[in-house]
Amino acid sequence: GAVVSQHPSWVICKSGTSVKIECRSLDFQATTMFWYRQFPKQSLMLMATSNEGSKATYEQGVEKDKFLINHASLTLSTLTVTSAHPEDSSFYICSVSSGRLLNEQFFGPGTRLTVL
Amino acid sequence: GQQLNQSPQSMFIQEGEDVSMNCTSSSIFNTWLWYKQEPGEGPVLLIALYKAGELTSNGRLTAQFGITRKDSFLNISASIPSDVGIYFCASSRNTDKLIFGTGTRLQVFP
């Protein structure tokens, strides 16, 4: 499967600040990446689909102006949480489609965001 | 929205026992995937199923795509302590979006 990295692995920030999370596909070029959010003891919820060279597609209820996604290259997608608030504290995970079989997604190690 | 229901919600078993968990939906899906997630990490793909009735193994793990295309099960034989984690099913229809199940938390005691 694909190898995916995320940076940082954890971040603590003050309320009102912005935080950028990077997702990198290390071993192949990913035209599509996905961003998920997972609250404690809950399942993964898809936030948005990140398409290289075009605007991201957001799921219903996810504010696109708050969660800015940039997929500027085939190996890098970034998620910026703008004006973060304590309720944005969560585990953010990205994934990539292998390209061979789109339904198989391979996940990064996740980023734990804590907003004070 | 769409939801995949997993059962049981949690399992506490002794090392060496076999484990069975399932995932059901009210809708038909074309793909069933099983992932394992350990604390503080991203999910890892275990098995992918693409055809109704398909039975696939990966070591001690076996999963089947239900004939009705509305369910799937995952079995783990001869469990070991490193099997501990949360097991998620995930499904999709014709798009590449995945819907995740509610998860089954597995605890294995030596």
Side-chain angles (χ1 to χ4, degrees), chain B residues 64-77:
Chain B
Q64 185 161 29
F65 190 146
I67 290 291
T68 65
R69 295 165 63 193
K70 293 182 179 182
D71 61 354
S72 176
F73 72 72
L74 174 70
N75 288 342
I76 305 173
S77 62

Side-chain angles (χ1 to χ4, degrees), chain A:
Chain A
V3 180
V4 182
S5 71
Q6 282 184 240
H7 177 79
S9 56
W10 60 269
V11 57
I12 301 173
C13 69
K14 292 182 179 180
S15 186
T17 61
S18 294
V19 174
K20 180 185 285 187
I21 302 170
E22 294 184 349
C23 176
R24 293 184 183 274
S25 176
L26 299 182
D27 58 351
F28 83 103
Q29 296 178 329
T31 56
T32 303
M33 294 185 179
F34 303 88
W35 286 96
Y36 293 81
R37 181 168 51 183
Q38 185 179 33
F39 292 108
K41 298 191 176 181
Q42 293 190 22
S43 188
L44 283 75
M45 295 299 294
L46 179 65
M47 298 175 67
T49 303
S50 170
N51 301 297
E52 188 269 337
S54 64
K55 292 183 179 179
T57 305
Y58 290 81
E59 295 301 299
Q60 191 172 10
V62 178
E63 299 175 57
K64 63 180 181 180
D65 294 330
K66 180 168 182 62
F67 299 99
L68 301 179
I69 292 174
N70 185 297
H71 192 157
S73 78
L74 289 172
T75 59
L76 174 64
S77 176
T78 61
L79 168 68
T80 300
V81 183
T82 63
S83 187
H85 292 285
E87 58 265 31
D88 297 324
S89 298
S90 188
F91 194 50
Y92 291 86
I93 318 173
C94 69
S95 72
V96 305
S97 290
S98 65
R100 180 178 63 87
L101 291 168
L102 289 178
N103 293 336
E104 289 185 11
Q105 292 183 22
F106 298 92
F107 288 81
T111 297
R112 172 78 57 194
L113 171 63
T114 303
V115 184
L116 302 177

Side-chain angles (χ1 to χ4, degrees), chain B residues 5-61:
Chain B
N5 295 309
Q6 286 186 243
S7 65
Q9 187 174 11
S10 59
M11 303 181 73
F12 299 86
I13 64 169
Q14 199 150 21
E15 183 177 1
E17 289 185 13
D18 296 341
V19 172
S20 183
M21 61 188 78
N22 64 30
C23 186
T24 60
S25 170
S26 57
S27 302
I28 290 175
F29 288 96
N30 295 330
T31 302
W32 288 91
L33 307 174
W34 284 93
Y35 287 87
K36 177 188 176 186
Q37 185 180 30
E38 298 189 26
E41 298 182 13
V44 175
L45 181 62
L46 301 173
I47 292 179
L49 303 160
Y50 291 95
K51 290 173 60 177
E54 180 181 358
L55 183 72
T56 297
S57 292
N58 177 7
R60 294 179 294 107
L61 279 61

Side-chain angles (χ1 to χ4, degrees), chain B residues 11 13 36-39 60 76 79-87 104-110:
Chain B
M11 303 181 73
I13 64 169
K36 177 188 176 186
Q37 185 180 30
E38 298 189 26
R60 294 179 294 107
I76 305 173
S79 60
I80 58 179
S82 61
D83 290 334
V84 166
I86 303 176
Y87 292 80
T104 293
R105 187 178 297 269
L106 177 64
Q107 186 65 255
V108 180
F109 295 101

